[in-house]
Amino acid sequence: MPTATTGTPGPTARSRPLRVGVVGVGWGAHVQVPAFRAADGFDPVALCARTPERLSRVAERLGIADTSTDWRSFVRRDDLDVVSVATPTGLHREITLAALDAGKAVLCEKPLAGDPAEAREMVKAAAASGRPTGCCFENRWSADWLAVEETVRNGLLGRPYLARVSRSASYWHPSRRPLQSAWMYDRAQGGGYLAGMLVHDLDYLCTLLGPPEAVCAEVRSSEPERILPEGGELHVTADDTSALLMRMASGALAVLSVSTVGAHTDHVRIELFGADGTVVGDGTLRETRYAAGRADADGLAPLDPSQREPVAPGELPGGLAGVASRAMALMLEDWAPAFDGADTPAPTFADGLLSLAIIDAAHRSAAGAGWVAVTP
């Protein structure tokens, strides 16, 4: 069974922090820069973004003076060790391939690419480069998921029966203002919440239970048109609601759903059933409480979150950004040994490809193909 580590990474042979250039100042600024600062062994020294005014504001807030609006020259700089790609999904492939060609280690946000074909090209390029690469499935390192993973790895479930995940939010309900960035409503640019939110659960279930063999799904856009604040309409091609059935290679059944059109909603429910025990989580996007118990116990007992912290937790922001930054910082600390030639449990480009293969199978199923085999 694939596992994520819950221990503390060992020391590395490097004499200085790895110099990181971050491309993209949305998620890259809110989550990634604080995570790199909180993690041991990394130093975010430069930012790149297309819009000079926004880039200047963000750089000043973060205290990073080294900026660029030209990602093509940025990824080729001799003074950067790592390029972190935190742009809209449609740009991931081109920037990643250029950075790998320049000899850089690359960390790429999820979803890895716009489709499995692009992701396969990125996987091949990463292997050919010989440089450390990773895909940002940092949620595996959230305090709760680290605890759940350790419990499952220690055998509490036994033979798995069922995994069930449900997520709801109000982000795309017609009453919600303001609208999100336009690319989020465009499937061709990697928008939507199957790829934007449920992808973390797809990755995590594969980590816990192994890969799926086949998928049957419905994927839809509940409101195909949005009125823009300045007038005119935005045609929506990305999904706000999805439901998936997955036949896992382990023999388990996985049932997952996500919807972002529930007015006033903010709910997460995760259930793992096995021959030897059960894990259940219930809560909100900000906080989900878990309980676990063996089948021969009197019932479920609260599952304490992992207490592991990055080396500099004082660098983390508050709120949801802080939760994501903390998880990413721990992921980075477990990725760092790769720069000294060691194996690491950090998510790979191959993990990113698997999640995209599942999403592609879900879309084909929703288009009328029924059960679709998952072929990374």
Side-chain angles (χ1 to χ4, degrees), residues 16 18-23 45-46 71-85 94-108 122 125-134 335 339 349:
R16 62 166 177 77
L18 294 159
R19 296 163 300 197
V20 182
V22 179
V23 186
V45 297
W71 68 258
R72 290 176 174 82
S73 62
F74 186 79
V75 302
R76 304 197 71 84
R77 287 175 42 168
D78 291 336
D79 60 342
L80 296 179
D81 304 304
V82 181
V83 171
S84 188
V85 183
E94 188 176 12
I95 297 174
T96 294
L97 294 181
L100 290 172
D101 184 64
K104 307 303 180 188
V106 179
L107 186 70
C108 186
M122 293 164 71
S129 75
R131 301 296 297 141
T133 54
W335 187 45
F339 291 82
F349 279 11

Short mmCIF file of all heavy atoms in Angstrom, two decimals, residues 16 18-23 45-46 71-85 94-108 122 125-134 335 339 349:
data_model
loop_
_atom_site.label_atom_id
_atom_site.label_comp_id
_atom_site.label_asym_id
_atom_site.label_seq_id
_atom_site.Cartn_x
_atom_site.Cartn_y
_atom_site.Cartn_z
N ARG A 16 23.46 25.12 2.03
CA ARG A 16 22.65 26.33 1.98
C ARG A 16 21.24 25.97 1.54
O ARG A 16 21.01 24.92 0.93
CB ARG A 16 23.25 27.33 0.99
CG ARG A 16 23.30 26.81 -0.44
CD ARG A 16 23.56 27.91 -1.46
NE ARG A 16 23.68 27.41 -2.81
CZ ARG A 16 22.65 27.05 -3.58
NH1 ARG A 16 21.43 27.14 -3.11
NH2 ARG A 16 22.85 26.58 -4.81
N LEU A 18 17.87 25.81 -0.64
CA LEU A 18 17.59 25.82 -2.08
C LEU A 18 16.87 27.12 -2.43
O LEU A 18 15.88 27.49 -1.80
CB LEU A 18 16.73 24.62 -2.44
CG LEU A 18 17.40 23.26 -2.26
CD1 LEU A 18 16.36 22.16 -2.14
CD2 LEU A 18 18.35 22.98 -3.42
N ARG A 19 17.36 27.78 -3.47
CA ARG A 19 16.79 29.05 -3.90
C ARG A 19 15.61 28.79 -4.83
O ARG A 19 15.76 28.14 -5.87
CB ARG A 19 17.85 29.90 -4.58
CG ARG A 19 19.00 30.29 -3.64
CD ARG A 19 20.22 30.76 -4.39
NE ARG A 19 20.74 29.71 -5.28
CZ ARG A 19 21.96 29.73 -5.80
NH1 ARG A 19 22.78 30.72 -5.53
NH2 ARG A 19 22.35 28.76 -6.61
N VAL A 20 14.45 29.31 -4.46
CA VAL A 20 13.20 29.00 -5.15
C VAL A 20 12.67 30.23 -5.87
O VAL A 20 12.59 31.32 -5.29
CB VAL A 20 12.14 28.49 -4.16
CG1 VAL A 20 10.85 28.12 -4.91
CG2 VAL A 20 12.66 27.31 -3.36
N GLY A 21 12.27 30.04 -7.13
CA GLY A 21 11.55 31.05 -7.88
C GLY A 21 10.12 30.59 -8.08
O GLY A 21 9.89 29.48 -8.58
N VAL A 22 9.15 31.40 -7.69
CA VAL A 22 7.74 31.03 -7.77
C VAL A 22 7.10 31.76 -8.94
O VAL A 22 7.16 32.99 -9.03
CB VAL A 22 7.00 31.40 -6.46
CG1 VAL A 22 5.51 31.05 -6.57
CG2 VAL A 22 7.63 30.68 -5.27
N VAL A 23 6.48 31.00 -9.84
CA VAL A 23 5.78 31.56 -10.99
C VAL A 23 4.29 31.55 -10.68
O VAL A 23 3.68 30.48 -10.57
CB VAL A 23 6.07 30.77 -12.28
CG1 VAL A 23 5.45 31.49 -13.47
CG2 VAL A 23 7.56 30.59 -12.48
N VAL A 45 13.16 33.24 -3.19
CA VAL A 45 13.93 34.48 -3.41
C VAL A 45 13.41 35.32 -4.56
O VAL A 45 13.81 36.48 -4.69
CB VAL A 45 15.42 34.14 -3.67
CG1 VAL A 45 16.04 33.46 -2.46
CG2 VAL A 45 15.58 33.26 -4.92
N ALA A 46 12.52 34.79 -5.41
CA ALA A 46 12.10 35.53 -6.60
C ALA A 46 10.68 35.16 -6.98
O ALA A 46 10.23 34.03 -6.77
CB ALA A 46 13.05 35.26 -7.77
N TRP A 71 8.33 34.69 -17.78
CA TRP A 71 8.63 33.39 -17.18
C TRP A 71 9.67 32.63 -18.00
O TRP A 71 10.40 31.80 -17.44
CB TRP A 71 7.36 32.56 -17.01
CG TRP A 71 6.67 32.08 -18.25
CD1 TRP A 71 5.56 32.59 -18.82
CD2 TRP A 71 7.05 30.95 -19.06
NE1 TRP A 71 5.21 31.88 -19.94
CE2 TRP A 71 6.10 30.85 -20.11
CE3 TRP A 71 8.08 30.02 -19.02
CZ2 TRP A 71 6.17 29.87 -21.10
CZ3 TRP A 71 8.15 29.04 -20.00
CH2 TRP A 71 7.20 28.96 -21.02
N ARG A 72 9.76 32.88 -19.30
CA ARG A 72 10.72 32.14 -20.13
C ARG A 72 12.16 32.42 -19.72
O ARG A 72 12.99 31.51 -19.66
CB ARG A 72 10.49 32.47 -21.61
CG ARG A 72 9.20 31.89 -22.16
CD ARG A 72 8.95 32.31 -23.60
NE ARG A 72 7.77 31.63 -24.15
CZ ARG A 72 6.53 32.04 -23.92
NH1 ARG A 72 6.30 33.12 -23.17
NH2 ARG A 72 5.50 31.39 -24.43
N SER A 73 12.49 33.65 -19.45
CA SER A 73 13.85 33.95 -18.96
C SER A 73 13.98 33.61 -17.48
O SER A 73 15.06 33.21 -17.03
CB SER A 73 14.18 35.43 -19.21
OG SER A 73 13.29 36.28 -18.51
N PHE A 74 12.90 33.73 -16.74
CA PHE A 74 12.91 33.47 -15.30
C PHE A 74 13.33 32.04 -15.00
O PHE A 74 14.17 31.79 -14.13
CB PHE A 74 11.51 33.74 -14.74
CG PHE A 74 11.39 33.66 -13.24
CD1 PHE A 74 11.80 34.71 -12.44
CD2 PHE A 74 10.82 32.55 -12.64
CE1 PHE A 74 11.67 34.65 -11.06
CE2 PHE A 74 10.68 32.47 -11.26
CZ PHE A 74 11.11 33.53 -10.47
N VAL A 75 12.77 31.06 -15.73
CA VAL A 75 13.06 29.65 -15.42
C VAL A 75 14.48 29.25 -15.83
O VAL A 75 14.96 28.18 -15.43
CB VAL A 75 12.04 28.70 -16.08
CG1 VAL A 75 10.62 29.04 -15.64
CG2 VAL A 75 12.16 28.72 -17.61
N ARG A 76 15.16 30.08 -16.59
CA ARG A 76 16.51 29.76 -17.05
C ARG A 76 17.60 30.44 -16.22
O ARG A 76 18.79 30.29 -16.50
CB ARG A 76 16.68 30.14 -18.53
CG ARG A 76 15.65 29.50 -19.46
CD ARG A 76 16.08 29.54 -20.91
NE ARG A 76 17.18 28.61 -21.14
CZ ARG A 76 17.01 27.30 -21.38
NH1 ARG A 76 15.79 26.77 -21.41
NH2 ARG A 76 18.07 26.52 -21.57
N ARG A 77 17.21 31.14 -15.19
CA ARG A 77 18.19 31.85 -14.38
C ARG A 77 19.13 30.88 -13.67
O ARG A 77 18.70 29.90 -13.08
CB ARG A 77 17.47 32.73 -13.35
CG ARG A 77 16.83 33.95 -13.95
CD ARG A 77 16.02 34.74 -12.97
NE ARG A 77 16.65 34.87 -11.65
CZ ARG A 77 16.22 35.70 -10.71
NH1 ARG A 77 15.18 36.47 -10.94
NH2 ARG A 77 16.82 35.76 -9.54
N ASP A 78 20.42 31.22 -13.68
CA ASP A 78 21.42 30.35 -13.06
C ASP A 78 21.34 30.37 -11.53
O ASP A 78 21.84 29.45 -10.88
CB ASP A 78 22.84 30.78 -13.48
CG ASP A 78 23.11 30.50 -14.95
OD1 ASP A 78 22.44 29.61 -15.51
OD2 ASP A 78 23.99 31.18 -15.52
N ASP A 79 20.73 31.42 -10.96
CA ASP A 79 20.73 31.55 -9.50
C ASP A 79 19.49 30.94 -8.85
O ASP A 79 19.28 31.11 -7.65
CB ASP A 79 20.85 33.02 -9.10
CG ASP A 79 19.71 33.87 -9.65
OD1 ASP A 79 19.03 33.43 -10.60
OD2 ASP A 79 19.50 34.98 -9.12
N LEU A 80 18.67 30.20 -9.59
CA LEU A 80 17.52 29.50 -9.02
C LEU A 80 17.75 28.00 -9.07
O LEU A 80 18.16 27.46 -10.09
CB LEU A 80 16.24 29.85 -9.79
CG LEU A 80 15.77 31.30 -9.75
CD1 LEU A 80 14.49 31.47 -10.57
CD2 LEU A 80 15.55 31.77 -8.31
N ASP A 81 17.48 27.33 -7.95
CA ASP A 81 17.60 25.87 -7.89
C ASP A 81 16.27 25.19 -8.19
O ASP A 81 16.24 24.08 -8.75
CB ASP A 81 18.06 25.43 -6.48
CG ASP A 81 19.35 26.08 -6.06
OD1 ASP A 81 20.34 25.94 -6.80
OD2 ASP A 81 19.38 26.73 -5.00
N VAL A 82 15.19 25.82 -7.79
CA VAL A 82 13.85 25.23 -7.90
C VAL A 82 12.92 26.24 -8.54
O VAL A 82 12.93 27.43 -8.19
CB VAL A 82 13.29 24.85 -6.51
CG1 VAL A 82 11.90 24.23 -6.64
CG2 VAL A 82 14.24 23.92 -5.78
N VAL A 83 12.11 25.79 -9.48
CA VAL A 83 11.02 26.59 -10.03
C VAL A 83 9.71 25.98 -9.55
O VAL A 83 9.46 24.79 -9.78
CB VAL A 83 11.06 26.65 -11.57
CG1 VAL A 83 9.79 27.30 -12.12
CG2 VAL A 83 12.29 27.39 -12.04
N SER A 84 8.91 26.79 -8.88
CA SER A 84 7.59 26.33 -8.42
C SER A 84 6.52 26.95 -9.31
O SER A 84 6.42 28.17 -9.42
CB SER A 84 7.36 26.73 -6.97
OG SER A 84 6.18 26.13 -6.48
N VAL A 85 5.73 26.09 -9.95
CA VAL A 85 4.74 26.54 -10.94
C VAL A 85 3.38 26.61 -10.27
O VAL A 85 2.76 25.59 -9.96
CB VAL A 85 4.71 25.58 -12.14
CG1 VAL A 85 3.73 26.09 -13.19
CG2 VAL A 85 6.10 25.42 -12.75
N GLU A 94 3.81 24.02 -20.30
CA GLU A 94 4.83 24.78 -21.02
C GLU A 94 5.92 25.28 -20.06
O GLU A 94 7.12 25.18 -20.35
CB GLU A 94 4.18 25.96 -21.74
CG GLU A 94 5.14 26.70 -22.67
CD GLU A 94 4.45 27.81 -23.45
OE1 GLU A 94 3.29 28.16 -23.12
OE2 GLU A 94 5.08 28.35 -24.39
N ILE A 95 5.52 25.81 -18.92
CA ILE A 95 6.50 26.34 -17.97
C ILE A 95 7.33 25.21 -17.37
O ILE A 95 8.56 25.32 -17.25
CB ILE A 95 5.79 27.14 -16.87
CG1 ILE A 95 5.08 28.35 -17.47
CG2 ILE A 95 6.78 27.58 -15.80
CD1 ILE A 95 4.23 29.12 -16.48
N THR A 96 6.68 24.10 -17.02
CA THR A 96 7.40 22.97 -16.43
C THR A 96 8.43 22.40 -17.40
O THR A 96 9.58 22.14 -17.03
CB THR A 96 6.41 21.88 -16.01
OG1 THR A 96 5.59 22.38 -14.95
CG2 THR A 96 7.12 20.63 -15.53
N LEU A 97 8.04 22.19 -18.65
CA LEU A 97 8.98 21.63 -19.62
C LEU A 97 10.17 22.56 -19.85
O LEU A 97 11.32 22.11 -19.96
CB LEU A 97 8.26 21.36 -20.95
CG LEU A 97 7.19 20.27 -20.93
CD1 LEU A 97 6.59 20.10 -22.32
CD2 LEU A 97 7.73 18.95 -20.42
N ALA A 98 9.92 23.86 -19.88
CA ALA A 98 11.01 24.82 -20.07
C ALA A 98 11.95 24.82 -18.86
O ALA A 98 13.18 24.88 -19.01
CB ALA A 98 10.44 26.22 -20.29
N ALA A 99 11.40 24.73 -17.66
CA ALA A 99 12.23 24.72 -16.45
C ALA A 99 13.06 23.44 -16.38
O ALA A 99 14.24 23.47 -16.02
CB ALA A 99 11.35 24.86 -15.22
N LEU A 100 12.47 22.31 -16.72
CA LEU A 100 13.22 21.06 -16.72
C LEU A 100 14.34 21.10 -17.76
O LEU A 100 15.46 20.64 -17.51
CB LEU A 100 12.28 19.88 -17.00
CG LEU A 100 11.30 19.52 -15.89
CD1 LEU A 100 10.32 18.46 -16.39
CD2 LEU A 100 12.04 19.01 -14.65
N ASP A 101 14.04 21.66 -18.92
CA ASP A 101 15.05 21.78 -19.97
C ASP A 101 16.21 22.67 -19.53
O ASP A 101 17.35 22.49 -19.98
CB ASP A 101 14.40 22.34 -21.24
CG ASP A 101 15.37 22.39 -22.41
OD1 ASP A 101 15.82 21.32 -22.85
OD2 ASP A 101 15.69 23.50 -22.87
N ALA A 102 15.90 23.61 -18.61
CA ALA A 102 16.94 24.50 -18.09
C ALA A 102 17.68 23.88 -16.91
O ALA A 102 18.54 24.54 -16.32
CB ALA A 102 16.32 25.83 -17.67
N GLY A 103 17.36 22.64 -16.57
CA GLY A 103 18.06 21.96 -15.49
C GLY A 103 17.55 22.24 -14.11
O GLY A 103 18.24 21.94 -13.11
N LYS A 104 16.35 22.79 -14.00
CA LYS A 104 15.79 23.12 -12.70
C LYS A 104 15.01 21.95 -12.11
O LYS A 104 14.40 21.16 -12.83
CB LYS A 104 14.85 24.33 -12.79
CG LYS A 104 15.45 25.55 -13.45
CD LYS A 104 16.72 26.01 -12.75
CE LYS A 104 17.31 27.24 -13.42
NZ LYS A 104 18.63 27.60 -12.87
N ALA A 105 15.01 21.86 -10.78
CA ALA A 105 14.01 21.05 -10.09
C ALA A 105 12.68 21.79 -10.19
O ALA A 105 12.65 23.02 -10.18
CB ALA A 105 14.41 20.86 -8.63
N VAL A 106 11.59 21.04 -10.29
CA VAL A 106 10.29 21.68 -10.51
C VAL A 106 9.26 21.12 -9.54
O VAL A 106 9.10 19.90 -9.41
CB VAL A 106 9.79 21.48 -11.96
CG1 VAL A 106 8.42 22.12 -12.13
CG2 VAL A 106 10.77 22.07 -12.95
N LEU A 107 8.56 22.04 -8.89
CA LEU A 107 7.37 21.70 -8.12
C LEU A 107 6.19 22.30 -8.86
O LEU A 107 6.21 23.50 -9.18
CB LEU A 107 7.47 22.27 -6.71
CG LEU A 107 6.36 21.87 -5.74
CD1 LEU A 107 6.48 20.39 -5.37
CD2 LEU A 107 6.40 22.73 -4.49
N CYS A 108 5.17 21.50 -9.17
CA CYS A 108 4.03 21.97 -9.96
C CYS A 108 2.75 21.79 -9.18
O CYS A 108 2.51 20.74 -8.58
CB CYS A 108 3.95 21.22 -11.29
SG CYS A 108 2.69 21.85 -12.42
N MET A 122 4.93 15.51 -19.36
CA MET A 122 5.65 16.06 -18.22
C MET A 122 6.33 14.96 -17.41
O MET A 122 7.45 15.14 -16.92
CB MET A 122 4.69 16.87 -17.35
CG MET A 122 4.17 18.13 -18.05
SD MET A 122 2.71 18.85 -17.26
CE MET A 122 3.44 19.51 -15.77
N ALA A 125 9.43 13.96 -19.36
CA ALA A 125 10.46 14.99 -19.28
C ALA A 125 11.12 15.00 -17.91
O ALA A 125 12.34 15.20 -17.80
CB ALA A 125 9.85 16.36 -19.59
N ALA A 126 10.34 14.78 -16.86
CA ALA A 126 10.90 14.74 -15.51
C ALA A 126 11.87 13.59 -15.37
O ALA A 126 12.97 13.74 -14.82
CB ALA A 126 9.78 14.63 -14.49
N ALA A 127 11.49 12.42 -15.88
CA ALA A 127 12.38 11.25 -15.80
C ALA A 127 13.66 11.49 -16.58
O ALA A 127 14.76 11.14 -16.13
CB ALA A 127 11.65 10.01 -16.31
N ALA A 128 13.55 12.11 -17.76
CA ALA A 128 14.72 12.35 -18.59
C ALA A 128 15.66 13.39 -17.97
O ALA A 128 16.87 13.33 -18.16
CB ALA A 128 14.29 12.80 -19.98
N SER A 129 15.10 14.34 -17.21
CA SER A 129 15.91 15.42 -16.65
C SER A 129 16.78 14.93 -15.49
O SER A 129 17.85 15.50 -15.24
CB SER A 129 15.01 16.56 -16.16
OG SER A 129 14.36 16.22 -14.94
N GLY A 130 16.29 13.95 -14.76
CA GLY A 130 17.01 13.49 -13.58
C GLY A 130 16.92 14.45 -12.41
O GLY A 130 17.58 14.24 -11.38
N ARG A 131 16.15 15.51 -12.51
CA ARG A 131 16.02 16.49 -11.45
C ARG A 131 14.85 16.15 -10.54
O ARG A 131 13.88 15.51 -10.97
CB ARG A 131 15.80 17.90 -12.05
CG ARG A 131 16.91 18.36 -12.98
CD ARG A 131 18.21 18.50 -12.20
NE ARG A 131 18.09 19.51 -11.17
CZ ARG A 131 18.62 19.42 -9.94
NH1 ARG A 131 19.28 18.33 -9.58
NH2 ARG A 131 18.48 20.40 -9.07
N PRO A 132 14.89 16.57 -9.27
CA PRO A 132 13.74 16.34 -8.39
C PRO A 132 12.50 17.07 -8.90
O PRO A 132 12.59 18.23 -9.33
CB PRO A 132 14.20 16.94 -7.05
CG PRO A 132 15.69 16.89 -7.11
CD PRO A 132 16.03 17.16 -8.55
N THR A 133 11.38 16.39 -8.90
CA THR A 133 10.11 16.99 -9.29
C THR A 133 9.04 16.55 -8.31
O THR A 133 9.16 15.51 -7.66
CB THR A 133 9.69 16.59 -10.72
OG1 THR A 133 9.69 15.16 -10.82
CG2 THR A 133 10.63 17.17 -11.76
N GLY A 134 7.98 17.34 -8.22
CA GLY A 134 6.88 16.99 -7.33
C GLY A 134 5.61 17.70 -7.73
O GLY A 134 5.64 18.74 -8.40
N TRP A 335 10.17 16.31 0.85
CA TRP A 335 10.69 16.33 -0.52
C TRP A 335 12.18 16.64 -0.55
O TRP A 335 12.91 16.19 -1.43
CB TRP A 335 9.93 17.37 -1.34
CG TRP A 335 10.22 17.39 -2.82
CD1 TRP A 335 10.33 16.34 -3.67
CD2 TRP A 335 10.42 18.57 -3.63
NE1 TRP A 335 10.58 16.77 -4.95
CE2 TRP A 335 10.63 18.12 -4.97
CE3 TRP A 335 10.41 19.93 -3.37
CZ2 TRP A 335 10.85 19.01 -6.02
CZ3 TRP A 335 10.62 20.83 -4.42
CH2 TRP A 335 10.84 20.36 -5.73
N PHE A 339 16.89 16.01 -3.12
CA PHE A 339 17.98 16.82 -3.66
C PHE A 339 19.34 16.26 -3.28
O PHE A 339 20.36 16.70 -3.80
CB PHE A 339 17.83 18.27 -3.18
CG PHE A 339 16.66 18.97 -3.79
CD1 PHE A 339 15.38 18.80 -3.26
CD2 PHE A 339 16.81 19.77 -4.90
CE1 PHE A 339 14.29 19.44 -3.83
CE2 PHE A 339 15.72 20.41 -5.48
CZ PHE A 339 14.46 20.23 -4.95
N PHE A 349 5.08 13.51 -10.25
CA PHE A 349 4.33 13.80 -11.46
C PHE A 349 3.45 12.59 -11.85
O PHE A 349 2.36 12.77 -12.41
CB PHE A 349 5.29 14.13 -12.60
CG PHE A 349 5.80 15.56 -12.58
CD1 PHE A 349 5.60 16.38 -11.48
CD2 PHE A 349 6.48 16.07 -13.67
CE1 PHE A 349 6.07 17.69 -11.46
CE2 PHE A 349 6.96 17.38 -13.68
CZ PHE A 349 6.77 18.18 -12.57
#
